[in-house]
Amino acid sequence: KKAMTNVGMATPQLTTDLTKELGVTAAQATGGVGAMLQAAAEKLPASEMQTITKAVPGANNYLEAAQKALGGAKLSELGGVQGTFNKLGLSPEMVDKFKPHVLDYVGKYSPTARGLLTNVL
């Protein structure tokens, strides 16, 4: 739990679930979720992305983690979400393992936000 506080997550449940179920570190979980949200941010209009960030606790923290992992680059410059996962020390196959967890988490807070995210992931 202390690590979650250090990550600054408002709701660490998604991070906790990913570390437990997929055997990744908290930093990998946070960066991976952030990469998926960053993919949405780069593809969706700002108003739709705002629907996601307002509805989902911790969304901005996940996005900040992605920005740190990306070092200011866009996802497309690093080979998309898979490239970012690689940079985090995760295999590209992990994207498919993260996706249902992320969508379920977002869906708990906003079915609309889940729909928006599903369309871009």
Side-chain angles (χ1 to χ4, degrees):
K1 286 209 175 228
K2 191 174 184 193
M4 295 301 105
T5 306
N6 294 340
V7 175
M9 296 306 302
T11 303
Q13 194 59 51
L14 179 58
T15 303
T16 303
D17 290 348
L18 289 169
T19 57
K20 207 181 298 178
E21 294 176 33
L22 301 180
V24 298
T25 67
Q28 288 173 320
T30 304
V33 173
M36 292 184 152
L37 292 177
Q38 184 62 38
E42 291 181 15
K43 293 176 184 173
L44 292 171
S47 61
E48 290 181 1
M49 190 60 203
Q50 197 170 37
T51 299
I52 294 171
T53 56
K54 280 185 176 178
V56 180
N60 287 322
N61 293 322
Y62 283 120
L63 284 164
E64 285 174 26
Q67 291 301 318
K68 287 179 187 164
L70 293 168
K74 289 200 176 285
L75 282 176
S76 57
E77 296 165 8
L78 295 175
V81 174
Q82 288 88 354
T84 306
F85 270 53
N86 189 41
K87 197 169 180 180
L88 291 165
L90 297 168
S91 68
E93 294 79 35
M94 289 299 280
V95 174
D96 290 332
K97 293 181 180 178
F98 268 62
K99 191 173 175 180
H101 290 282
V102 173
L103 292 174
D104 288 346
Y105 179 76
V106 171
K108 278 195 305 192
Y109 298 100
S110 170
T112 303
R114 185 187 201 283
L116 293 170
L117 200 54
T118 299
N119 290 337
V120 295
L121 289 182

